[in-house]
């Protein structure tokens, strides 16, 4: 299918009624044939060229510029930068703030990705066979996706208020009210599990999305496959484990990529809940502080480069794999 | 089997009735209901607190219904957010329209009028969808300052338009791949050029894909915070920044904060509730699934 445009030769840019005349031409030379082919696809390239230009400049040009900045010693906005190699990249690890921010982002990512995957998968599983009120459940679980992380942060900051039991608000107050005082905790301000608590609002927001992905995946598995397994004596749970879930690996992969790339660059949610408090510091917040408070472009660009690198590490293989697979399936 | 099909409830589309007992259904329903309550807690807090008068927005009455329902939180929130709501609207609408139009053109070419290297270009576009925008932010800011364009809403419109191109291209490409190639061929045999084929064959059937991309772009531009804090000043702050300022200040009472959060989320929530089907498709496209 991909070669189809080449077959029809020179009609690409012709007005109506010009095509029949072309058919009567003498046998073309190879050069002429190439030219004619180019006349077919060239308009396509032209139509895409504004976007190629924009993406070229604003994605790849800016990434190049940013990398350049990260490799320089432009540590003040008005200063000229000299090339210093990887010095900034190494220096970051020698301070206290950066490794702590990376650690926080890792904890957040593990809890958020794991939690959203599990909850989304569970919701998908519960809804898969159809249940009374399914559309209502689906709409409800997916609704947080329509809201900004800032709005989510506003309400969750209130819910996860760490004030002690005697003047507790939010979830702590609810725990006290139901005599579950042992559940009262410091939420995101706790030194040992704070970032795990910080992942709760993100799980709340994204679980519905993962549910929708899994639900589409579950329902894409042909009923005959399930039926065949049942005839072979599989329990309903066995059908899921041995027949349905193995078919869902691509869905799982997509879900991990989406959650993972969101999680590594998490910013809005942290700002809305914790502001710039160091206990909840993550690389994206650190970078923001470098730009607006410390005003150190080279250092900000270095952090941004690390973020890009972390995301690219798993997104590039995924994209190449997806586009190739699609091509081989003859899309 | 007979027991299962007797429970009248399991008549899901596609006849997935097999293998579910009535008791299993009840257990599932109860679990779902419990999870639904958990999911609703934040929404309950938002609405109930928003309707409380200032005197009642205290820790002690945190989870109770308002004794007197009051609009003062809403009035104050509207005051604080109205310019941001207007800014957000003026950013989200034009950038959604422009990226959708560009996405439609790209999608058509990449699905149905391919040029050599189209797959590579497409992959390079897609990567633009996943990059952390932090990686372009400092240069983008410097460039806009250098060009004297900072200050109004233009930087934000530009950013949302450009960085929205990849997902719009993806959605349209997958959509156009489902138009039969024979239809395109027929137009070509009739002597139609690329633009004519696009305008007369492809564009007339594009409405659903436009709905998906417009909704997606509107929602993500509306909910954006990162571009907004880097690229706008106090006069052009969109609603997310204003909301964060309202909520970040220690002196603003909770009833106002919650009302503000609801107010800032209302447009996208309404779009979601009215056009959920298209919203879903956009989400699915975000996972690279047509």
């Amino acid at each position: 299918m991909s070669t189809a445009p080449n077959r029809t030769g020179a009609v690409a840019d012709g007005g109506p009624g010009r095509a029949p005349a072309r058919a009567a031409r003498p046998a073309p030379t190879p050069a002429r044939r190439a030219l004619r082919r180019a006349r077919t696809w060239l308009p396509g390239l032209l139509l895409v060229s504004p976007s190629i230009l924009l993406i070229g400049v604003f994605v790849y040009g800016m990434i190049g510029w940013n990398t350049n900045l990260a490799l320089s010693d432009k540590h003040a906005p008005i200063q000229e930068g000299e090339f210093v190699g990887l010095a900034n990249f190494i220096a970051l690890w020698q301070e206290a703030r950066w490794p702590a921010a990376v650690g926080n982002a890792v904890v957040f990512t593990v809890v958020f990705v794991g939690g959203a995957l599990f909850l989304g998968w569970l919701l998908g599983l519960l809804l898969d066979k159809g249940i009374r009120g399914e559309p209502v459940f689906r709409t409800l679980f997916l609704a947080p996706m329509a809201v900004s992380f800032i709005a989510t942060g506003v309400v969750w900051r209130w819910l996860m208020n760490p004030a002690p039991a005697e003047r507790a608000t939010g979830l702590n107050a609810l725990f006290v009210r139901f005599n579950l005082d042992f559940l009262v905790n410091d939420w995101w301000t706790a030194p040992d599990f704070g970032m795990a608590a910080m992942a709760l609002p993100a799980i709340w927001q994204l679980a519905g999305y993962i549910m929708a992905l899994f639900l589409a995946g579950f329902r894409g598995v042909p009923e005959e496959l399930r039926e065949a397994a049942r005839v072979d004596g599989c329990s309903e749970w066995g059908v899921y484990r041995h027949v349905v879930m193995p078919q869902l690996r691509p869905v799982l992969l997509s879900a991990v990529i989406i959650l993972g790339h969101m999680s590594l660059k998490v910013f809005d949610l942290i700002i809305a809940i914790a502001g710039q408090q160091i206990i909840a510091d993550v690389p994206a917040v650190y970078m923001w502080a470098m730009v607006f408070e410390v005003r150190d472009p080279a250092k900000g660009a270095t952090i941004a480069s690390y973020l890009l690198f972390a995301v690219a590490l798993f997104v590039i293989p995924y994209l190449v794999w997806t586009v190739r697979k699609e091509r081989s399936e003859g899309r | 089997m007979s027991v299962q099909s007797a429970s009248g409830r399991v008549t899901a589309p596609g006849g997935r009735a097999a293998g579910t007992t009535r008791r299993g259904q009840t257990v599932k329903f109860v679990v779902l209901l419990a999870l639904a309550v958990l999911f609703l807690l934040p929404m309950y807090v938002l609405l109930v607190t928003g309707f409380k008068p200032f005197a009642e927005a205290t820790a002690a009455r945190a989870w109770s219904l308002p004794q007197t329902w009051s609009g003062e939180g809403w009035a104050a929130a509207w005051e604080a957010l109205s310019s941001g709501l207007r800014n957000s609207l003026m950013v989200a609408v034009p950038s959604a329209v422009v990226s959708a139009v560009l996405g439609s053109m790209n999608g058509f070419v990449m699905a149905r009028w391919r040029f050599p290297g189209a797959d590579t270009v497409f992959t390079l576009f897609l990567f633009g969808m996943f990059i952390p925008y932090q990686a372009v932010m400092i240069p983008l800011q410097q460039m806009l300052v250098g060009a004297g364009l900072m200050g109004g809403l233009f930087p934000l419109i530009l950013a949302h338009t450009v960085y929205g191109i990849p997902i719009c291209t993806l959605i349209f490409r997958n959509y156009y791949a489902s138009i039969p190639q024979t239809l395109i061929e027929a137009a070509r045999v009739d002597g139609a050029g690329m633009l004519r084929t696009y305008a007369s064959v492809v564009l007339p059937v594009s409405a659903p894909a436009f709905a998906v991309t417009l909704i997606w772009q509107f929602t993500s531009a509306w909910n954006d915070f990162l571009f907004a804090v880097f690229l706008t000043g106090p006069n052009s702050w969109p609603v997310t920044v204003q909301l964060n300022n309202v909520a970040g200040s220690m002196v603003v009472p909770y009833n106002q904060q919650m009302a503000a959060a609801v107010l800032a989320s209302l447009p996208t929530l309404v779009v979601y509730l009215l056009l959920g089907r298209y919203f879903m498709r956009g989400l699915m496209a975000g996972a690279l699934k047509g």
Side-chain angles (χ1 to χ4, degrees):
Chain A
M1 211 175 262
S2 59
T3 56
N6 298 339
R7 254 184 273 127
T8 29
V11 289
D13 60 342
R18 283 222 270 149
R22 299 257 168 112
R25 283 203 174 167
T29 64
R32 196 177 254 172
R33 207 180 299 142
L35 189 73
R36 202 192 270 183
R37 232 178 252 156
R39 290 186 64 179
T40 318
W41 56 254
L42 202 61
L45 186 59
L46 283 177
L47 196 62
V48 182
S49 54
S51 300
I52 294 181
L53 195 71
L54 287 172
I55 297 288
V57 170
F58 285 95
V59 174
Y60 295 94
M62 297 285 168
I63 287 176
W65 183 345
N66 185 73
T67 313
N68 224 8
L69 209 52
L71 296 172
S72 80
D73 63 352
K74 186 175 160 69
H75 291 298
I78 34 157
Q79 184 182 320
E80 286 296 315
E82 293 279 318
F83 179 81
V84 292
L86 292 174
N88 296 324
F89 288 85
I90 297 162
L92 265 185
W93 292 99
Q94 280 146 7
E95 52 181 58
R97 184 173 175 180
W98 171 252
V102 171
N104 280 344
V106 169
V107 173
F108 180 85
T109 298
V110 169
V111 178
F112 165 52
V113 174
L117 274 182
F118 175 74
L119 188 55
W121 169 81
L122 181 70
L123 291 172
L125 195 68
L126 289 170
L127 289 175
D128 176 32
K129 296 273 183 57
I131 198 154
R132 186 157 46 160
E134 187 202 316
V136 178
F137 282 124
R138 257 188 307 146
T139 307
L140 168 65
F141 293 136
L142 201 58
M145 264 307 279
V147 178
S148 66
F149 266 128
I150 298 294
T152 299
V154 170
V155 62
W156 277 89
R157 192 177 56 167
W158 186 87
L159 285 170
M160 301 199 295
N161 192 316
E166 56 277 13
R167 40 186 189 87
T169 66
L171 288 171
N172 281 354
L174 200 63
F175 293 152
V176 172
R177 195 158 168 177
F178 287 103
N179 288 322
L180 297 165
D181 293 51
F182 64 94
L183 281 174
V184 171
N185 70 83
D186 289 338
W187 300 104
W188 57 271
T189 58
D192 40 357
F193 61 84
M195 285 314 282
M198 192 65 100
L200 292 177
I203 295 172
W204 176 77
Q205 187 149 6
L206 267 297
Y209 185 11
I210 305 304
M211 168 202 76
L213 286 180
F214 272 115
L215 206 51
F218 284 143
R219 293 186 173 167
V221 176
E223 186 56 29
E224 302 85 71
L225 266 181
R226 300 188 190 216
E227 198 51 54
R230 280 184 208 117
V231 171
D232 287 347
C234 252
S235 69
E236 202 49 35
W237 176 242
V239 172
Y240 275 106
R241 258 197 67 189
H242 302 296
V243 180
V244 179
M245 284 313 287
Q247 302 257 335
L248 257 53
R249 283 202 194 111
V251 176
L252 188 66
L253 185 66
S254 304
V256 170
I257 297 282
I258 290 167
L259 295 174
H261 99 280
M262 287 182 72
S263 175
L264 289 173
K265 60 190 185 192
V266 60
F267 174 70
D268 318 17
L269 185 68
I270 308 282
I271 291 290
I273 292 182
Q276 293 196 57
Q277 297 190 49
I278 212 76
I279 191 152
D281 197 29
V282 290
V285 174
Y286 191 5
M287 183 246 175
W288 185 50
M290 277 310 111
V291 175
F292 283 102
E293 272 150 33
V294 185
R295 298 185 172 272
D296 182 341
K299 198 163 168 184
T302 308
I303 298 172
S305 300
Y306 268 125
L307 278 177
L308 179 68
F309 185 69
V311 168
L313 210 59
F314 61 95
V315 164
I316 289 177
Y318 170 70
L319 287 180
V320 171
W321 174 78
T322 310
V323 173
R324 266 209 204 128
K325 196 181 79 167
E326 213 189 72
R327 205 35 68 213
S328 68
E329 281 166 3
R331 224 16 203 292
Chain B
M1 275 285 269
S2 54
V3 185
Q4 296 128 20
S5 25
S7 85
R9 240 176 258 157
V10 283
T11 47
R16 291 163 194 281
T20 342
T21 60
R22 183 188 287 268
R23 211 186 57 179
Q25 283 283 308
T26 314
V27 171
K28 276 204 242 174
F29 191 77
V30 169
V31 174
L32 277 169
L33 216 54
L35 286 167
V37 169
L38 280 182
F39 264 76
L40 278 169
L41 273 187
M43 303 181 195
Y44 169 85
V45 166
L46 280 169
L47 283 176
V48 162
T49 316
F51 277 111
K52 282 177 184 169
F54 172 60
E56 278 190 62
T58 58
R61 297 198 37 82
W63 291 92
S64 322
L65 285 171
Q67 281 166 326
T68 41
W69 293 72
S70 152
E72 67 183 68
W74 300 98
W78 172 254
E79 188 121 327
L81 296 189
S82 58
S83 70
L85 288 165
R86 196 173 49 241
N87 285 338
S88 285
L89 196 69
M90 279 160 58
V91 167
V93 171
S95 58
V97 171
V98 178
S99 356
V101 169
L102 288 173
S104 165
M105 292 172 4
N106 300 341
F108 164 65
V109 170
M110 287 176 180
R112 287 287 172 247
W113 209 282
R114 301 163 52 74
F115 53 89
D119 269 347
T120 311
V121 171
F122 180 60
T123 314
L124 288 171
F125 271 33
L126 283 191
F127 183 59
M129 193 170 115
F130 285 100
I131 57 162
Y133 295 127
Q134 282 89 352
V136 296
M137 203 60 87
I138 297 172
L140 185 61
Q141 208 186 25
Q142 287 186 358
M143 191 197 84
L144 288 164
V145 170
L149 291 169
M150 284 297 246
L153 293 174
F154 176 77
L156 213 47
I157 297 176
L158 176 78
H160 288 308
T161 304
V162 171
Y163 299 106
I165 291 175
I167 182 126
C168 292
T169 303
L170 171 71
I171 293 171
F172 276 106
R173 175 180 171 274
N174 287 349
Y175 181 75
Y176 291 147
S178 66
I179 298 179
Q181 180 72 22
T182 47
L183 228 64
I184 312 272
E185 292 295 332
R188 285 184 167 190
V189 170
D190 288 348
M194 182 192 69
L195 284 179
R196 181 179 275 266
T197 310
Y198 175 63
S200 63
V201 179
V202 174
L203 220 44
V205 296
S206 298
F210 268 104
V212 173
T213 45
L214 285 172
I215 290 171
W216 176 271
Q217 275 303 97
F218 178 83
T219 307
S220 45
W222 186 276
N223 288 339
D224 162 75
F225 179 71
L226 182 68
F227 279 122
V229 288
F230 276 92
L231 303 179
T232 57
N235 292 327
S236 42
W237 275 334
V239 71
T240 43
V241 178
Q242 287 192 342
L243 171 63
N244 187 55
N245 292 345
V246 166
S249 129
M250 292 297 153
V251 294
V252 177
Y254 281 129
N255 59 341
Q256 279 181 38
Q257 291 191 19
M258 298 300 162
V262 174
L263 206 57
S265 313
L266 220 48
T268 48
L269 268 180
V270 168
V271 167
Y272 165 67
L273 289 176
L274 292 182
L275 301 163
R277 201 158 51 93
Y278 297 107
F279 184 83
M280 273 291 295
R281 282 203 227 159
L283 285 178
M284 291 302 164
L288 299 190
K289 310 224 128 258

